Amino acid sequence: MNYKKFFSDELISLKSQGLYRKFRAINRNKSSFPKATERFEGNQREVEVWCSNDYLNLSQHPEVTKTSINVINELGTGSGGTRNISGTSTYHVDLEQLLADLHKKESALLFPSAYTANQSTLWTLCKNLEGVEIFSDELNHASLIQGIKNANVECHVFRHNDTEHLEELINNANADSPKIIVFESLYSMEGLRSPLQKIIEIAKKYNALTYLDEVHSVGLYGPEGRGITAEKGLEDDIDIINGTLSKAFGQMGGYVAASADVIDYIRSFAPGFIFTSSMNPSVAAASITSIKIAMESEELRDNIRINSDRIRLGLRDLQIPFLENDSHIIPIHLYDPRVCKEAANLLLEKHGIYIQPIFHPTVPKGDERFRVTITPRHEASDINHFLDAIDDVWKTMGLKRSDAAKEDKPAISRIY
């Protein structure tokens, strides 16, 4: 086999479809965010960031950065090993207890990322629950899908948020087989919530475990930012919750929270936990500080809700096609990868607006979009600038406006 030709041809094919990615180096300056310094192909300039997952700007909070620096000075920059071999500090232990308390669970377990937490936990459960059948929402994140696929178990994919389809699938499954329903509380590319109560009712009816990804919810919804399950008072009804430290809490890493036995089982059997070096103690310490600040920051959450609604109102007035929802995530559809990239480049070159075009494999082909997120440090003038820029791009490129200024259909299935 000509290996060089294989890789070259694959990249040429990717580029011909308009799906090749170029990364832009963005330094999110602490003193001036949402302004940032962008370096691309040797040139440097100031841009305004509209696609950050650092939802509450806590990565730049002075108390959080101070904590991180203090612990680096105390312990250094690395953890020293896996959790089993010298890589467990008091900060790791305290953070896991705080995360368990945050979700009103008995225990929690840290991973290097929420992706690893999902992939490794689901693989471990699927491999060890003999005859298990999985019921997975079609728009689940790649980490959930990969964990299921790696385990090579029976997986039933139900239509997005369609509880009738879920119940039809689970009712036709082997009544005696273990079952896990895998879903998200808030879908990252659509900003749509799941019907938590109904899924829980189905799980109880058919004796299924529930595995819920709260990555884009925790820190932003519910009392003290405990997540959408807490907002609905359903923490006790979800068996396993996955969350992240790298979005609303502004740090790095992921976790699962559940009963003490479930967490101890994952800790004891999950290769993705056992054989991975632990997160730096400074990150664990900064996460503790960040979570405590987030729990007391209802004003920041209110700010995001108000500003997200302002953007949606402006997009409706401009008849820009977007997916309506009641979250902080605003998807603006363009439906073509080349058009999406051209519009993103025009926003950047002409208006200094940085927003990353989203295309396959993150979303299905033909459903390319911008994914707009706002933070507490975006001001009214920033919103007006963004809306004026979007309007100008639509005019300049002759892009289609929406009669109803509303998109009521989510994307088709992710890749299973």
Side-chain angles (χ1 to χ4, degrees):
M1 181 177 185
N2 187 331
Y3 297 106
K4 183 176 181 180
K5 185 177 185 303
F6 169 80
F7 294 120
S8 177
D9 287 349
E10 287 294 305
L11 290 171
I12 289 170
S13 174
L14 194 67
K15 290 174 182 178
S16 71
Q17 299 173 65
L19 301 175
Y20 184 75
R21 286 171 162 81
K22 288 187 177 181
F23 296 163
R24 294 180 179 272
I26 303 289
N27 286 350
R28 300 182 305 117
N29 307 313
K30 194 166 101 169
S31 61
S32 59
F33 189 83
K35 299 293 188 295
T37 303
E38 183 236 12
R39 189 181 71 197
F40 185 65
E41 296 180 346
N43 298 313
Q44 195 162 289
R45 62 184 160 188
E46 184 183 83
V47 298
E48 194 172 276
V49 179
W50 279 89
C51 54
S52 174
N53 281 341
D54 184 10
Y55 296 134
L56 297 174
N57 293 125
L58 290 178
S59 72
Q60 300 178 334
H61 193 286
E63 289 182 38
V64 176
T65 57
K66 181 181 177 182
T67 297
S68 181
I69 291 166
N70 287 345
V71 175
I72 286 173
N73 288 332
E74 176 193 0
L75 299 181
T77 57
S79 70
T82 65
R83 289 292 299 276
N84 184 51
I85 305 174
S86 80
T88 297
S89 71
T90 57
Y91 298 107
H92 294 90
V93 174
D94 292 346
L95 175 55
E96 286 175 335
Q97 185 58 59
L98 178 59
L99 290 167
D101 294 343
L102 184 73
H103 293 289
K104 295 188 177 178
K105 297 296 183 188
E106 292 177 340
S107 192
L109 192 66
L110 291 170
F111 285 81
S113 70
Y115 189 107
T116 308
N118 274 336
Q119 185 183 45
S120 191
T121 300
L122 282 171
W123 182 90
T124 302
L125 293 173
C126 291
K127 274 295 184 184
N128 291 286
L129 286 170
E130 187 175 349
V132 70
E133 296 189 44
I134 303 296
F135 300 84
S136 178
D137 188 288
E138 68 176 338
L139 293 189
N140 275 341
H141 188 265
S143 58
L144 299 166
I145 296 169
Q146 200 61 50
I148 297 165
K149 285 178 70 173
N150 288 351
N152 195 28
V153 295
E154 187 75 23
C155 179
H156 309 274
V157 180
F158 62 92
R159 292 186 292 270
H160 178 55
N161 280 348
D162 188 336
T163 53
E164 289 185 5
H165 189 215
L166 168 61
E167 184 158 19
E168 177 188 335
L169 291 173
I170 205 167
N171 185 50
N172 290 330
N174 183 344
D176 296 326
S177 67
K179 301 172 182 66
I180 306 176
I181 302 174
V182 181
F183 61 115
E184 301 179 37
S185 62
L186 184 67
Y187 287 84
S188 62
M189 287 296 123
E190 291 74 30
L192 298 172
R193 296 175 174 226
S194 63
L196 283 174
Q197 182 66 60
K198 182 60 179 175
I199 291 175
I200 288 168
E201 289 173 6
I202 293 170
K204 290 182 177 180
K205 180 177 178 181
Y206 293 93
N207 190 31
L209 286 173
T210 46
Y211 187 102
L212 178 67
D213 184 310
E214 282 257 53
V215 161
H216 291 275
S217 160
V218 68
L220 294 175
Y221 299 90
E224 299 182 306
R226 294 174 184 269
I228 289 176
T229 48
E231 180 183 274
K232 301 297 182 183
L234 299 171
E235 306 107 303
D236 293 342
D237 298 309
I238 297 293
D239 296 299
I240 304 169
I241 291 177
N242 165 267
T244 188
L245 302 166
S246 65
K247 294 184 170 59
F249 298 135
Q251 307 308 306
M252 188 70 189
Y255 61 90
V256 287
S259 68
D261 282 348
V262 167
I263 294 299
D264 200 15
Y265 183 87
I266 297 165
R267 184 187 70 86
S268 301
F269 290 97
F273 173 80
I274 296 169
F275 298 105
T276 302
S277 292
S278 64
M279 69 167 59
N280 297 344
S282 59
V283 174
S287 297
I288 293 170
T289 300
S290 183
I291 292 168
K292 289 179 177 178
I293 292 170
M295 292 175 74
E296 299 173 356
S297 298
E298 194 58 41
E299 184 178 346
L300 296 181
R301 286 185 280 275
D302 286 340
N303 179 293
I304 289 175
R305 284 189 283 269
I306 291 167
N307 284 336
S308 297
D309 287 341
R310 284 175 178 164
I311 296 172
R312 276 187 278 267
L313 179 61
L315 293 173
R316 288 187 203 104
D317 289 343
L318 296 171
Q319 293 185 297
I320 303 296
F322 71 100
L323 180 61
E324 287 276 9
N325 59 46
D326 60 350
S327 75
H328 63 288
I329 297 167
I330 304 171
I332 298 177
H333 288 99
L334 290 104
Y335 304 113
D336 182 282
R338 293 179 183 84
V339 171
C340 197
K341 286 197 281 188
E342 184 182 346
N345 287 335
L346 187 57
L347 279 171
L348 192 61
E349 300 295 335
K350 188 174 180 180
H351 300 282
I353 297 286
Y354 169 67
I355 187 163
Q356 188 66 27
I358 305 293
F359 47 84
H360 182 82
T362 309
V363 296
K365 292 178 181 179
D367 202 23
E368 291 75 21
R369 66 188 70 179
F370 294 148
R371 178 184 177 275
V372 181
T373 53
I374 195 165
T375 74
R377 291 182 66 179
H378 286 84
E379 299 179 351
S381 58
D382 299 318
I383 295 174
N384 292 335
H385 177 217
F386 173 78
L387 291 170
D388 288 343
I390 286 285
D391 187 38
D392 180 68
V393 166
W394 250 250
K395 287 176 182 174
T396 302
M397 295 181 62
L399 298 176
K400 185 179 178 181
R401 306 271 177 165
S402 173
D403 291 337
K406 177 179 177 180
E407 293 291 329
D408 56 8
K409 207 162 134 187
I412 57 175
S413 180
R414 307 268 197 260
I415 301 171
Y416 276 83

